Amino acid sequence: SKAGKHKLDAPPPRGGSSASPPVSSVVSSASALPKSAAVTRASAASLHLAVENAYLNWVRNGITATALGMAFVHFRVTTDDAAFSIGGAVLQTMGAAYVFIGAASYVSSAFFLRRELALTGFGVAWYIANAAWPIAMYATGMLCLLDWHPSWLLALLAANAESLPEHWQDRCVRVAGDKARRRADAERKKRAARNKTPARSWGE
């Protein structure tokens, strides 16, 4: 009826706060705001925390899968006297995938949400650095686990050996000696193979 229609379209009373404005008026007023006014400091901070938490979940899952894979390897080594565990390798590969995919998702989220995050140049550098150093630490740790110790790491530990604990010093000396011995053996094998190779004449 006309009376009911006028009652529904009637504006809310001025003195009371119990009546809420129509939904259409809220949506229209929000859509009328410029984009710069819609991105507030609080919304950018909350979105930043959400992106950080998602990245931490990726890294946490990667570390958990890697630790479980190491447990599998330790179980096989102690029970079956095996030097390798297929299940452990699969879990460690899954952990590495979690870490690398999480870093890629972290950077891509920052790129696509750079307007909503209100990123500055320092913010972009922060996201890139925060995605790079866990990958570097994880890759270095996995190389050491596989007995492929990076030379720069051994040199850094050797330069600061006096400030390290005693059992760390023993381990560093042992690892550096083993690596130098393997390098010397590899060079010796190369020279032996080179000496065994018959010399070719210019006519051949």
Side-chain angles (χ1 to χ4, degrees):
S1 62
K2 292 183 178 181
K5 183 178 180 181
H6 287 301
K7 187 180 293 184
L8 291 175
D9 295 337
R14 295 181 180 179
S17 59
S18 60
S20 58
V23 178
S24 59
S25 63
V26 177
V27 174
S28 62
S29 61
S31 60
L33 291 175
K35 291 183 179 181
S36 59
V39 180
T40 61
R41 183 175 298 180
S43 64
S46 62
L47 185 58
H48 169 73
L49 291 177
V51 175
E52 292 284 342
N53 286 331
Y55 180 44
L56 288 177
N57 288 332
W58 280 102
V59 175
R60 191 182 300 114
N61 291 337
I63 294 175
T64 302
T66 304
L68 191 58
M70 291 180 181
F72 273 43
V73 173
H74 180 72
F75 175 76
R76 287 300 180 189
V77 169
T78 54
T79 58
D80 299 340
D81 197 18
F84 183 73
S85 172
I86 298 177
V90 170
L91 288 175
Q92 289 175 357
T93 304
M94 184 175 69
Y98 269 124
V99 174
F100 281 90
I101 294 175
S105 175
Y106 179 68
V107 174
S108 62
S109 297
F111 176 76
F112 289 112
L113 298 174
R114 61 188 182 276
R115 182 188 298 274
E116 289 79 3
L117 290 168
L119 288 181
T120 59
F122 176 79
V124 173
W126 164 262
Y127 271 86
I128 295 176
N130 205 22
W133 74 262
I135 292 179
M137 297 289 288
Y138 183 88
T140 303
M142 293 303 295
L143 287 176
C144 293
L145 177 66
L146 298 173
D147 205 15
W148 297 336
H149 301 81
S151 300
W152 62 267
L153 180 60
L154 295 178
L156 180 63
L157 292 175
N160 301 276
E162 296 181 355
S163 59
L164 296 176
E166 186 176 354
H167 59 281
W168 282 35
Q169 295 179 13
D170 297 338
R171 176 60 180 166
C172 292
V173 170
R174 191 180 304 111
V175 169
D178 292 342
K179 187 169 185 177
R181 192 180 303 108
R182 287 195 298 268
R183 188 184 299 114
D185 292 341
E187 291 294 333
R188 193 180 303 110
K189 290 180 180 179
K190 287 182 180 179
R191 287 196 299 268
R194 195 180 304 115
N195 293 333
K196 288 181 179 180
T197 302
R200 295 183 178 181
S201 63
W202 290 101
E204 293 181 354

